[in-house]
Amino acid sequence: MNDADNTYNGEKTASQPLEERVNNRSQRPSSEAFKAFMASNWAPSPQVAPERDAVADHAARRRRIISGQFKGERLVVPAGPLKVRSNDCDYRFRPHSGFAHLTGLGLDHEPDAVLIFEPVEEGTGDDGGNHRATLYFRPLAGRDSEQFYADSRSGEFWIGARPTLAEFEARLGLPTAHVDELETAVTKNVGAPEIGGISIRLVRKVDENIDALVDTARYNTAKDPDNLDLGVLDALDEKLSEALSELRLIKDGWEVEQLQTAVAATVEGFAEVVKALPRALTHFRGERVVEGAFFARAREEGNELGYDTIAAAGNNATVLHWTRNTGKIKAGDLLLLDAGVEADSLYTADITRTLPATGTFSDIQRKIYEAVLDAADAGFAAARIGTRFRDIHTAATTVLAERLAEWGLLPVPVAEAISDEGQQHRRWMPHGTSHHLGLDVHDCAQAKRELYLDGVLAEGMVFTIEPGLYFKNEDLGIPEEYRGIGVRIEDDILMTAEGPVNLSAALPRTADDVEAWMAGIWHEANGKA
Ligand code: GLY
Ligand code: MN
Ligand code: MN
């Protein structure tokens, strides 16, 4: 197919395979003279001797817990590959959260990496566990290599220096190996335990190449490959994902610090948005002005956004995940801003404030806002060690149902609405009040229901409390004055022995405090401090 003279059905076929044509702008010579010249005369890479990361001991403790749960089995935890955004341009890389948690790696570390727990004799592994863990990744290539200048996805000439094996080993306190050794590490001695083989558990759907590698190894070593029960194998794998999610339900001290860092940067981002609001009000897509102002802070202070910013004015605020942000912000609108900075460690905040775009709530806006605030306060009051996670939601939504009844909007009595058979109030708040927060904005999502929704609140849990009321323009069941108003107030909570601590308390919550805070920022910006 490389031959320009090939023909098929009388038609001339390609002289260059399509997959090689992703980057036709490359004019790189391929002569031996060029290769030799490119490989020569570069300064040696600096030999850094990095210190052990503060997270290393925490990550080791997490791995030890997982090791205790899967004795005798090989565990495969991929970081994931780069993902194509378009043609030869990738999205910024972000590793899978389970991988980040077990290695302590943040930022863009490290595409195609895989953490493997190799089973060893019980009690002889890392920290007296049942496994030895090794991190496989593609390390920095020498400047005399072709990878250095020719690989646009991993070459230093293109993307900057990458970590070496020694660097990560020192930082993480974890043995490292080249990704070229990965295939053997995943597949060796795989087989049924009764015949001396090792069984694997994999965090699936993170890296399809690793899924295929494990599937092939399982198939090739199965006693009866044609009758391999994929359902059983999927269930084995799912248990590992579940365990990694449940491991994150309680945050350690280092994680709490990371969340505090993320929240602090987010608080600054909200203040930047208030500064940008006067310009946003004059712009044909004011919501994007808001989104951009917040994003600038996220990149300056942190790694990224933890999720796409919701910058929703007027009726758009009634769209729960309005991330299009294409709308205008009009004087008198409420702006619902739901945004979170992701720290370099990848822990994210998740905060919502609903702001009067021109600085003052109207009477009806204030009435709705205060109902939501009362619901949030009821959620806080319910958050006590030993109560169930779901009790927060019940407490908050009961307040909302009561208000809706007072306003004559609820078609049934409160008791009927809050019963399982009713739930009419959920027309105006169809989402949950709380979710765990951490490396993922909706953290611990694969945890068992008994430990999540039905779980008991414990010290070290971090979660949101985020009631809202959303009255759509199109809602014919409510008086006109309510329509086009969406309010959510979302805070990030750390559960302590003394009760819930609001990590995002630096942002004002009451309507009066919000107005005063905005006025203060504008006053200062106008040089009248
Ligand atoms: N920002 C998504 C959420 O609040 O859950
Ligand atoms: Mn949330
Ligand atoms: Mn949110």
Side-chain angles (χ1 to χ4, degrees), residues 307 310 321 338 350 352 435 441-442 466 488 490:
Y307 53 92
I310 298 167
H321 284 176
D338 182 343
D350 178 13
T352 307
H435 56 80
V441 61
H442 298 154
E466 51 174 308
R488 177 162 64 251
E490 177 174 27

Side-chain angles (χ1 to χ4, degrees), residues 169-334:
E169 189 149 342
R171 278 182 47 191
L172 307 175
L174 187 59
T176 54
H178 197 289
V179 78
D180 288 351
E181 295 168 36
L182 180 64
E183 184 168 338
T184 310
V186 171
T187 58
K188 75 177 173 222
N189 304 332
V190 169
E194 52 282 18
I195 51 168
I198 292 177
S199 74
I200 309 185
R201 289 199 200 233
L202 163 69
V203 180
R204 292 191 87 82
K205 296 192 178 136
V206 178
D207 186 329
E208 61 183 27
N209 290 325
I210 307 297
D211 289 1
L213 193 62
V214 169
D215 288 343
T216 308
R218 282 172 171 166
Y219 182 82
N220 288 343
T221 56
K223 271 191 276 187
D224 183 6
D226 293 334
N227 289 307
L228 205 57
D229 191 336
L230 296 178
V232 169
L233 295 172
D234 279 352
L236 277 182
D237 290 337
E238 280 170 11
K239 275 281 164 206
L240 177 57
S241 291
E242 179 185 280
L244 297 191
S245 240
E246 290 173 356
L247 181 65
R248 309 212 305 264
L249 282 165
I250 306 283
K251 271 62 183 177
D252 59 39
W254 186 85
E255 292 181 286
V256 171
E257 278 172 26
Q258 298 310 310
L259 283 158
Q260 285 168 326
T261 302
V263 167
T266 302
V267 168
E268 288 186 23
F270 274 64
E272 287 302 316
V273 164
V274 174
K275 279 186 215 159
L277 261 176
R279 187 170 93 80
L281 279 153
T282 65
H283 195 278
F284 75 103
R285 254 178 3 188
E287 291 174 349
R288 289 283 175 91
V289 175
V290 163
E291 179 188 323
F294 187 82
F295 182 65
R297 263 304 142 120
R299 285 295 284 165
E300 287 170 28
E301 306 288 326
N303 178 53
E304 248 292 354
L305 300 168
Y307 53 92
D308 286 341
T309 296
I310 298 167
N315 193 49
N316 291 342
T318 69
V319 179
L320 299 179
H321 284 176
W322 176 258
T323 53
R324 241 176 262 156
N325 303 341
T326 45
K328 221 173 142 48
I329 307 177
K330 300 190 299 301
D333 276 351
L334 289 183

Side-chain angles (χ1 to χ4, degrees), residues 92-95 106-111 159 162 303 344 346:
R92 225 192 304 279
F93 179 71
R94 193 220 190 254
L107 291 168
D108 57 349
H109 299 312
E110 189 54 58
I159 62 160
R162 306 300 307 162
N303 178 53
D344 289 354
L346 309 179

